Amino acid sequence: MHTETIDHGNAEKPPHLRFQFSDSARQFHAAKFGMWLFLGQEVMFFSALLCAYAYYRNQFPVAWSMASHHLNTTFGLLETINLLFSSFTVALAIHFVRLGKRTITSVLLFVTLACGILFLVMHSYEYYTEYHEGLLPGRFFHPEAGWHMPMESAMFMSCYFFTTVLHSIHVLIGVGVLGVIMVFNMKGKYSPAYYTHVEIGGLYWHLVDLIWIFLFPLYYLVA
C-alpha cells in the first residue's frame, strides 16, 4: 500500500523533476544557485590571473606597451563585437524558450554557437600569425629583426597566451554545452515550465563574454 502511494506521487511529477525536489521551481532555483557558485569561482580564478597581469605590467610598463602594439587590434575588436552579439542572441533564446517558441529558440542558439566558433577561428588565426612572428611565450620568443622589443615583452606574451588560451577553452566548452542544449531543445525537451538548462547555459555564456570584455582592453589597448 505504501509503495503504491509513492508510485502514484511520482506519476504526478513532471519527467524533468528530480526525486529530491518537491516542485519545478525549487529545482530551478537550486540549479541556478549552483551555477552562480560555479561562476563565482571562475571569476576568482580569472581575477588571480589579472592580479599577475597587473603586477608584471607595473614592473615592465614600456615592454608591455611595445608588445601590445604587435597584437591585432582589429581582430580583437571584431572578436569583442562578435561575443557581445552572441550574448544578445543567447539572451533572446532564453526569452523565447520561456514563451514556448521552440524553433526560434533553436535558431538563436545556433547563431550563438556560430558566433562562438567564429571567435575561436579568428583567435586561432591570431595565434598562427604570432607564431610566425616569433611572439610565442618563453624560450620561443624570437621577434622579427628590427622590432626592437625588449626581452621583458616575453612576459607580456606569456600572460597573453595563458589568459586568452584559457578563455578560448571556456568558449569551446560553452559551444559544446550550448550545442547539446540546442539539440535537446529541437527534441522538445524544454517548455515554458522547464528551461533550466537554457537559463544556466546562457549564464555561463554571459560570463565568457564578460571575461573577454576585460581581456580585450587589457591586452590590445595598452597605452
Side-chain angles (χ1 to χ4, degrees):
M1 182 65 182
H2 180 66
T3 303
E4 289 178 355
T5 304
I6 292 175
D7 290 344
H8 179 70
N10 287 336
E12 294 178 344
K13 292 182 177 180
H16 64 263
L17 190 61
R18 303 297 181 186
F19 69 92
Q20 65 268 36
F21 297 103
S22 58
D23 56 64
S24 298
R26 291 176 188 273
Q27 179 173 291
F28 173 75
H29 289 301
K32 199 169 180 179
F33 179 68
M35 192 61 189
W36 277 113
L37 289 179
F38 172 75
L39 298 181
Q41 68 88 22
E42 287 287 292
V43 169
M44 288 190 287
F45 179 65
F46 275 95
S47 297
L49 296 178
L50 294 182
C51 286
Y53 167 95
Y55 173 78
Y56 286 112
R57 179 174 176 175
N58 183 60
Q59 294 292 313
F60 314 116
V62 176
W64 229 247
S65 177
M66 294 179 69
S68 174
H69 291 162
H70 289 282
L71 298 183
N72 194 325
T73 307
T74 302
F75 262 52
L77 178 61
L78 291 175
E79 289 160 5
T80 304
I81 295 171
N82 176 55
L83 283 185
L84 286 174
F85 179 71
S86 71
S87 257
F88 176 67
T89 56
V90 81
L92 284 179
I94 296 171
H95 170 72
F96 281 106
V97 76
R98 288 172 177 165
L99 300 178
K101 306 287 187 183
R102 187 193 306 175
T103 302
I104 191 169
T105 300
S106 297
V107 170
L108 289 166
L109 288 173
F110 177 78
V111 173
T112 306
L113 288 179
C115 290
I117 293 171
L118 178 61
F119 175 88
L120 292 173
V121 171
M122 293 178 69
H123 216 74
S124 297
Y125 178 77
E126 280 194 80
Y127 291 148
Y128 175 77
T129 304
E130 287 147 5
Y131 164 75
H132 281 281
E133 293 175 343
L135 296 180
L136 296 182
R139 61 190 178 91
F140 303 104
F141 184 73
H142 302 293
E144 294 181 2
W147 282 11
H148 305 298
M149 293 179 68
M151 287 308 297
E152 290 83 0
S153 299
M155 183 56 71
F156 172 89
M157 299 309 300
S158 296
C159 290
Y160 163 78
F161 269 95
F162 188 79
T163 312
T164 58
V165 167
L166 199 60
H167 174 264
S168 295
I169 291 173
H170 280 70
V171 173
L172 183 62
I173 293 172
V175 167
V177 169
L178 291 180
V180 172
I181 292 172
M182 183 183 70
V183 172
F184 283 170
N185 181 68
M186 294 170 67
K187 291 182 176 180
K189 185 178 178 66
Y190 305 120
S191 67
Y194 176 64
Y195 52 88
T196 304
H197 296 162
V198 184
E199 179 96 17
I200 61 178
L203 282 175
Y204 176 83
W205 194 256
H206 288 317
L207 175 75
V208 169
D209 296 351
L210 181 64
I211 292 171
W212 181 255
I213 289 173
F214 279 95
L215 295 184
F216 171 63
L218 287 176
Y219 284 107
Y220 290 79
L221 304 179
V222 178

